[in-house]
Amino acid sequence: MIRRKLVAAALFFTLFGAIAFMPPFALLFRTNTRVLGVPLEAAYIFVVWILLILGARWFSRVLPDDNATPADAQQDRSS
């Protein structure tokens, strides 16, 4: 992918995470339903949290460094 698209996707991912934790969305799952003995609201929070961690890890590996020097870029091309 193009670096610009990856940066835009990372920004969208961050905004998704911020919106997902806001009370209007988190309270949608406030019911008496339980998942493996855990209230659905708590399960939602932890699932979103895990997805954000995994997404951040993926973006950290895919996005190139901002401070790469021209010598580093030339060395990468010769390899």
Side-chain angles (χ1 to χ4, degrees):
M1 287 179 100
I2 299 173
R3 178 177 169 29
R4 190 173 350 139
K5 288 183 180 179
L6 284 171
V7 170
L11 176 64
F12 174 76
F13 187 73
T14 303
L15 292 175
F16 163 76
I19 291 171
F21 282 122
M22 287 186 173
F25 290 104
L27 294 178
L28 288 175
F29 297 94
R30 192 174 198 179
T31 63
N32 289 334
T33 308
R34 293 187 176 267
V35 178
L36 300 173
V38 178
L40 186 61
E41 185 179 16
Y44 167 76
I45 296 294
F46 280 109
V47 167
V48 170
W49 182 45
I50 289 169
L51 289 176
L52 289 173
I53 290 171
L54 293 175
R57 182 172 186 245
W58 182 79
F59 277 117
S60 72
R61 294 187 183 270
V62 173
L63 283 171
D65 290 338
D66 280 341
N67 52 0
T69 61
D72 293 338
Q74 188 177 16
Q75 189 177 34
D76 288 341
R77 290 184 199 145
S78 64
S79 301

